[in-house]
Amino acid sequence: MHFISQELEDYIEQHSEKEPELLAALNKETYQKILLPRMLSGHFQGRVLSMLSKLIRPVNILEIGTYTGYAALCLCEGMQENGSLHTIDIKEELIDFQRKYFDRSPWGKQIVQHLGEAIDVIPTLNIKFDLVFIDADKENYLHYYELILPKMNRGGIILSDNVLWSGKVLEPLQANDISTKVLLEYNELLKNDPRVETVLLPIRDGLTVSRVL
């Protein structure tokens, strides 16, 4: 996932906004106790998510793929006072971990956790969203996108994570590599879909910003 040198990544992080103390604690405990801690958004990407949310000033936010809640808290930093963040994950064992940090934040009462498959949960949400962050199983990115697009306000932003997939999008496609195949299709769709305008940012493992027209 390192497309630039570790030294340059360190410099970028050092010259970006400081990681809030609550998120630093969440980061640390995730690495101490939770499997696959590299899934965490982390300091730099978290500050990018925070900045984007502050620029957008969303009322309603949807996150697909909660993990330990780091990105959710970053996105909440720009949420309006009357807003809500809905986050979906399939891992029941992480619910209490997420909630502990959500409740330690200023937005605990505004964060709604949904346990289950996002494909099943999204159609039940009768809400229009201003900001969506897709960061779950790559095989379903195309399905998630089509499900959420009708629920987006005009001018709303869809953020899609891991779209460079450790550089695999540039390598010969293996027959059994479904995730890379779907991401290649997904990236082409976002580039050519007249319903959105898109820019792909080489941040961490690739972050696409798509604005709904």
Side-chain angles (χ1 to χ4, degrees), residues 83-101:
S84 65
L85 181 142
H86 292 256
T87 185
I88 307 170
D89 206 284
I90 60 171
K91 295 183 178 178
E92 186 175 1
E93 66 272 20
L94 293 179
I95 290 289
D96 291 341
F97 187 100
Q98 298 160 6
R99 179 48 61 183
K100 177 176 71 172
Y101 281 94

Side-chain angles (χ1 to χ4, degrees), residues 33-78:
K33 299 179 179 179
I34 309 298
L35 291 173
L36 303 175
R38 68 194 289 265
M39 291 173 58
L40 194 86
S41 290
H43 177 187
F44 174 60
Q45 186 177 17
R47 293 304 86 204
V48 172
L49 296 177
S50 169
M51 182 66 76
L52 289 172
S53 184
K54 288 170 181 174
L55 291 170
I56 297 162
R57 296 290 293 143
V59 175
N60 293 312
I61 304 170
L62 173 63
E63 179 186 45
I64 304 173
T66 316
Y67 191 48
T68 55
Y70 190 102
L73 291 173
C74 294
L75 295 170
C76 282
E77 292 180 31

